[in-house]
């Protein structure tokens, strides 16, 4: 993207529709005067008095137990340096966002306007009663060491400077597993560190706890090797001043087992890498360009075990693997601090998680057949949903064992269930979807690219690396709009009505006519229709000149779906096309079918819709748990509408006994596992969390999905087409840019799945 356009997009993101990235949302009723009298005066006096009697009641009656302060003075912000407290606020709000979406922790970001250590510490201490924990962020070294040390000592709530310890915890987990794969012991290895800032020192401090010997560590800063004769190093750095005057990085790396890079790009050369010991472990974590290019390193040494800070290579050392879950565990036992035992518990939990069987959802997200512990998978992936249920309990238990927990957990199984429930309130599936699309990008037709929002969506798909857009529409308008939004990449632009497309259009018309001439289609009709974008685009997909098609922004759904159904064949074994919408609810993704096509499906149709929806749910790495909904519960009505649903369920139970599906059932029972279990314990859904609803007709499905979307601002992806042989998907009229990007990602993932299916068919033949 053009630099000015990217800058404008970033500024608009932070400014609109309301400034910033976070807000405060009430958690209690506030509709009536009675509600307000309980929330404030006079009712609020009662919890105040209880807290005055016992200060620990603050956790019972306020949000303190789930509230973390992200605090900075803006002296070391990302790669921007000392930009001040106000300029650091967007970064702190971003950290707040990560806390919420990964661990359901609420955050107030606090920017403090002082560089004085004592003033900073005093300010934090004075506001600490508000919070259950404090995450220090982007404070320059060496001040950050002293600030953290004193706050940990002087406060009775968890305090951690993530810039120091986050990378240390994740890379330590990676080191444990890398050493196992290299068949080396921590006490025997030689470690060379490029970088001597807070993160590098924190890493080495933890490595020593893993067994690395102090005398086997050689550290470099921007001025050279640390040695005892230097007078320009800190007390903390002097601990690792094991080098000799004049030693170069190349000298130190000769025979070294581990290179830890937290410095600057391209300082590790192939020659240096070749001089390292067998099975060298290289953690090159400078961002955005590591100390040595990943591909160059892999070409130089076949026996290398490598990690970087980048998401586009294996083994990403990403702090989001640690801090949300460390604070989650610490908060849940009301820990008075985050101690070394808790950090090491997080290290061990992450290392062990990488050795466990990976859920299909994670394999799908990263486009892998199966992620398996090995040189390219030594630490978990950030999208692994098990992180919260593995790391947080390990930290909580370590807090209890080390005596810093004030509220011990007694029922661990219940605790893990509660942690899993916290994952339902965000849009992880959207991130998984986009990430999976990036693993195998496809050519996607945007059939209405002369509309600004459609072109913006195509631009995002390109920039995010999800796919290669093919733009259909008026070429002059598209070129003008591309210039306006800074979309300066050369991509195909086609207008089916122009002479430029005559040859292609005639070929498509002849091909279509040959396949339909005995079904009442004339050649003249075919030629006329191929001037229309959706007919032309569908034929491009049929002919293999594009992998997927998205359309429908500017026209009603029925008018767009007609040419699609005429030109695109149904998938093998399918005789009924349908749609589903994936709704991002606060209980996790919910699939609703059929939301757009079948007006009054029969019992047999409903069964087929359920099967197609189940296949789509599996495509997203989830196990389908299907409720066939009605106004009736298990035979309570003999109306034909209820009977239809009942018969569909009976068919599925008979012919697909392994499918978790039941009904007919009312929606409230379907969505309330406890209520369902108590009233209908015989149901296949009893005790399970339903993620798929099959509605008895189009009225019910469409009304429900649109009501959810508008009343509760639930994000929706869809309607996703089910049953077509090609990846073709239709936007809702006037869809937002975000919705179109998501649908494009769905079409790419659909294309990936269909490609796999065709390959497997060819192999079997």
């Amino acid at each position: 993207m053009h630099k000015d356009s990217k800058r404008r997009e970033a500024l608009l993101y932070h400014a609109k529709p309301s400034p910033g990235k976070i807000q405060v949302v009430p958690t209690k009723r506030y509709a009536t005067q009675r509600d307000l009298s309980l929330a404030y005066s006079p009712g609020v006096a009662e919890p105040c008095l209880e807290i005055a009697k016992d200060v620990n009641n603050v956790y019972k009656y306020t949000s303190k137990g789930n509230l973390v302060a992200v605090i900075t003075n803006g002296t070391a912000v990302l790669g921007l340096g000392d930009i001040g407290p106000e300029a650091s606020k967007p970064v702190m709000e971003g950290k707040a966002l990560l806390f919420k979406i990964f661990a359901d922790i609420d955050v107030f970001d606090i920017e403090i306007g002082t560089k004085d250590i004592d003033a900073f510490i005093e300010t934090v201490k004075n506001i600490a009663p508000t919070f259950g924990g404090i995450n220090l962020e982007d404070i320059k070294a060496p001040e950050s060491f002293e600030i953290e040390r004193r706050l940990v000592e002087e406060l009775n709530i968890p305090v951690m400077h993530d810039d120091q310890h986050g990378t240390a915890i994740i890379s330590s987990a990676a080191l444990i597993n890398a050493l196992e794969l290299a068949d080396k012991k921590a006490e025997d290895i030689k470690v060379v560190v490029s970088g001597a800032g807070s993160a590098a020192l924190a890493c080495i401090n933890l490595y020593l706890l893993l067994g690395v010997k102090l005398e086997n560590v050689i550290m470099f800063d921007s001025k050279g090797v640390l040695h005892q004769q230097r007078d320009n190093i800190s007390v903390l750095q002097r601990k690792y001043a094991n080098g000799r005057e004049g030693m170069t990085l190349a000298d130190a790396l000769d025979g070294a087992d581990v290179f830890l890079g937290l410095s600057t790009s391209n300082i590790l050369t192939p020659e240096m890498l070749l001089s390292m010991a067998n099975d060298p472990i290289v953690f090159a974590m400078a961002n955005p360009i590591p100390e040595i290019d990943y591909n160059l390193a892999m070409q130089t040494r076949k026996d290398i075990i490598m990690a970087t800070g980048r998401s586009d290579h294996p083994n990403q050392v990403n702090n989001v693997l640690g801090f949300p879950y460390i604070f989650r565990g610490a908060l849940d036992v009301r820990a008075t601090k985050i101690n070394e035992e808790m950090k090491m518990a997080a290290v061990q939990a992450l290392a062990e998680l990488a050795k466990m069987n990976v859920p299909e959802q994670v394999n799908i997200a990263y486009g892998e057949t199966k992620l398996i512990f090995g040189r390219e998978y030594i630490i978990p992936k950030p999208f692994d949903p098990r992180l919260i249920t593995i790391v947080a309990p390990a930290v909580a238990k370590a807090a209890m064992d080390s005596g810093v927990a004030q509220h011990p957990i007694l029922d661990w199984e219940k605790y893990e269930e509660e942690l899993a429930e916290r994952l339902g309130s965000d849009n992880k599936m959207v991130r998984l979807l986009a990430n999976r699309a990036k693993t195998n990008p496809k050519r996607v037709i945007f059939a209405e690219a002369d509309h600004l929002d459609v072109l913006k969506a195509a631009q995002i798909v390109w920039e995010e690396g999800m796919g290669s857009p093919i733009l259909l529409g008026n070429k002059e308008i598209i070129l003008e709009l591309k210039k306006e939004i800074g979309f300066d990449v050369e991509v195909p632009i086609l207008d089916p009505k122009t002479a430029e497309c005559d040859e292609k259009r005639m070929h498509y018309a002849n091909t279509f006519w040959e396949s339909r001439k005995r079904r009442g289609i004339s050649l003249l009709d075919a030629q006329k229709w191929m001037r229309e974008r959706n007919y032309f685009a569908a034929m491009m997909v049929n002919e293999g000149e594009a992998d997927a098609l998205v359309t429908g922004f500017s026209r009603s759904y029925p008018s767009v779906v007609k040419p699609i159904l005429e030109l695109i064949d149904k998938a093998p074994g399918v005789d009924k096309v349908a749609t589903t919408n994936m709704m991002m609810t606060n209980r996790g993704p919910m699939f609703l079918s059929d939301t757009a096509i079948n007006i009054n499906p029969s019992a047999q149709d409903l069964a087929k819709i359920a099967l197609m929806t189940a296949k789509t749910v599996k495509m997203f790495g989830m196990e389908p748990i299907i409720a066939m909904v009605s106004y009736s519960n298990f035979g309570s009505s003999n109306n034909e509408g209820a009977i239809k649903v009942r018969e569909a369920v009976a068919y599925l139970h008979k012919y697909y006994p392994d499918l978790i599906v039941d009904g007919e059932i009312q929606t409230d029972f379907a969505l309330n596992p406890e209520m369902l279990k108590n009233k209908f314990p015989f149901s296949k859904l009893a005790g399970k969390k339903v993620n798929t609803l099959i509605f008895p007709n189009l009225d019910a499905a469409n009304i429900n999905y649109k009501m959810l979307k508008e009343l509760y601002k639930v994000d929706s992806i869809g309607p996703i087409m089910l049953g077509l042989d090609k990846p073709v998907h239709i936007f809702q009229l006037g869809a937002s840019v975000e919705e179109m990007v998501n649908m494009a990602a769905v079409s790419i993932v659909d294309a990936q799945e269909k490609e796999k299916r065709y390959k497997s068919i060819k192999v079997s033949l």
Side-chain angles (χ1 to χ4, degrees), residues 20-129:
K21 299 190 286 288
I22 57 176
Q23 65 179 350
V24 176
V25 179
T27 61
K28 298 294 190 293
R29 300 185 311 273
Y30 52 89
T32 67
Q33 181 58 40
R34 181 172 179 274
D35 293 337
L36 295 179
S37 70
L38 291 170
Y40 198 53
S41 181
V44 73
E46 298 305 327
C48 291
L49 292 171
E50 291 300 308
I51 295 167
K53 292 177 189 175
D54 181 355
V55 72
N56 288 318
N57 281 332
V58 71
Y59 289 97
K60 184 176 181 179
Y61 296 113
T62 77
S63 62
K64 177 183 173 84
N66 196 51
L67 186 61
V68 165
V70 173
I71 303 181
T72 190
N73 60 3
T75 52
V77 180
L78 296 175
L80 304 174
D82 185 354
I83 59 175
E86 291 87 357
S88 73
K89 187 172 176 61
V91 180
M92 301 310 111
E93 288 186 353
K95 192 66 176 276
L97 191 85
L98 295 178
F99 266 110
K100 186 64 178 177
I101 65 175
F102 283 100
D104 194 28
I105 292 173
D106 296 317
V107 166
F108 289 158
D109 62 292
I110 308 291
E111 292 75 34
I112 298 177
T114 182
K115 296 181 182 180
D116 181 84
I117 290 178
D118 292 329
F120 186 98
I121 291 171
E122 196 62 25
T123 301
V124 175
K125 287 173 63 178
N126 285 335
I127 64 173

Side-chain angles (χ1 to χ4, degrees), residues 453-510:
D453 282 355
V454 177
L455 190 61
K456 284 181 179 178
Q459 181 182 24
I460 292 170
V461 167
W462 170 267
E463 289 174 349
E464 292 297 313
M466 293 190 287
S468 301
I470 299 171
L471 310 178
L472 264 59
N474 185 298
K475 192 168 186 177
E476 289 185 9
I477 294 175
I478 291 173
L479 290 172
E480 185 178 331
L481 291 175
K482 282 186 70 189
K483 186 176 180 180
E484 179 182 330
I485 64 175
F487 188 14
D488 51 10
V489 177
E490 291 293 329
V491 295
I493 302 174
L494 302 172
D495 185 347
K497 294 182 178 179
T498 62
E500 187 180 358
C501 289
D502 280 351
E503 184 178 346
K504 192 180 291 288
R505 188 172 62 246
M506 291 304 295
H507 169 69
Y508 292 164
N510 285 327

Side-chain angles (χ1 to χ4, degrees), residues 133-423:
I134 291 173
N135 180 97
L136 300 171
E137 193 80 14
D138 292 352
I139 304 167
K140 75 180 184 72
E143 291 91 332
S144 59
F145 295 105
E146 179 66 7
I147 287 171
E148 185 193 42
R149 183 189 67 78
R150 285 179 54 185
L151 286 173
V152 168
E153 288 179 358
E154 298 173 30
L155 291 177
N156 67 342
I157 58 174
V159 177
M160 188 174 83
H161 187 203
D162 184 50
D163 297 327
Q164 294 180 45
H165 303 294
T167 302
I169 289 165
I170 313 308
S171 71
S172 293
L175 182 62
I176 288 173
N177 286 337
L179 289 174
E180 180 179 326
L181 291 167
D183 194 22
K184 296 181 180 182
K185 295 181 179 179
E187 57 266 29
D188 298 331
I189 61 173
K190 175 184 175 184
V191 181
V192 176
V193 186
S194 177
S198 58
L201 290 168
C203 285
I204 289 300
N205 287 341
L206 275 190
Y207 291 5
L208 295 187
L209 294 178
L210 295 178
V212 173
K213 292 183 177 178
L214 176 61
E215 60 267 25
N216 290 341
V217 176
I218 299 176
M219 184 174 283
F220 290 77
D221 65 7
S222 59
K223 297 178 176 62
V225 70
L226 303 192
H227 58 83
Q228 292 298 331
Q229 286 70 45
R230 281 182 57 174
D231 57 8
N232 57 350
I233 58 177
S234 69
V235 173
L236 295 170
Q237 290 171 330
R238 190 166 296 281
K239 176 181 178 181
Y240 297 103
N242 297 323
R244 65 176 187 277
E245 191 171 359
M247 175 183 278
T248 66
L249 185 61
D251 295 333
L253 281 166
D254 188 14
D257 299 282
V258 177
F259 171 82
L260 172 64
L262 287 154
S263 53
T264 190
S265 62
N266 298 320
I267 61 166
L268 177 62
T269 67
E271 291 74 22
M272 294 178 189
L273 181 56
L274 286 169
S275 74
M276 292 180 69
N278 291 336
D279 298 299
I281 297 166
V282 174
F283 295 166
M285 294 182 287
N287 262 324
I289 303 172
E291 283 80 1
I292 184 170
D293 177 74
Y294 176 83
N295 294 320
L296 175 60
M298 300 305 290
Q299 291 166 9
T300 303
R301 292 285 298 257
K302 301 301 181 186
D303 59 344
I304 189 173
I305 302 172
M306 186 169 179
T308 71
R310 294 177 60 105
S311 61
D312 53 350
H313 299 309
N315 301 324
Q316 182 193 15
V317 177
N318 188 331
N319 283 16
V320 83
L321 291 168
F323 71 82
Y325 315 112
I326 293 167
F327 272 95
R328 180 76 272 160
L331 291 174
D332 291 340
V333 293
R334 297 183 197 167
T336 56
K337 62 178 64 179
I338 295 173
N339 56 27
E340 296 305 309
E341 291 90 343
M342 294 161 73
K343 294 173 196 171
M344 290 305 297
V347 169
Q348 295 292 345
L350 287 167
E352 288 302 315
L353 181 55
K355 298 176 185 178
M356 299 178 187
N357 290 331
V358 177
E360 186 60 18
Q361 184 179 3
V362 180
N363 288 319
I364 287 173
Y366 289 92
E368 299 285 348
T369 304
K370 189 167 182 62
L371 284 165
I372 300 175
F373 175 64
R375 290 172 184 252
E376 294 191 348
Y377 181 63
I378 58 174
I379 40 178
K381 297 290 189 180
F383 289 147
D384 195 321
R386 301 169 299 171
L387 284 162
I388 194 169
T389 57
I390 297 293
V391 180
V395 172
K397 190 173 188 307
M400 291 166 56
D401 292 344
S402 60
V404 298
Q406 300 179 95
H407 184 68
I409 292 168
L410 302 177
D411 188 336
W412 289 98
E413 185 175 341
K414 182 181 178 182
Y415 176 54
E416 289 183 19
E417 288 175 2
E418 291 171 353
L419 290 172
E421 284 295 315
R422 290 184 179 275
L423 288 175

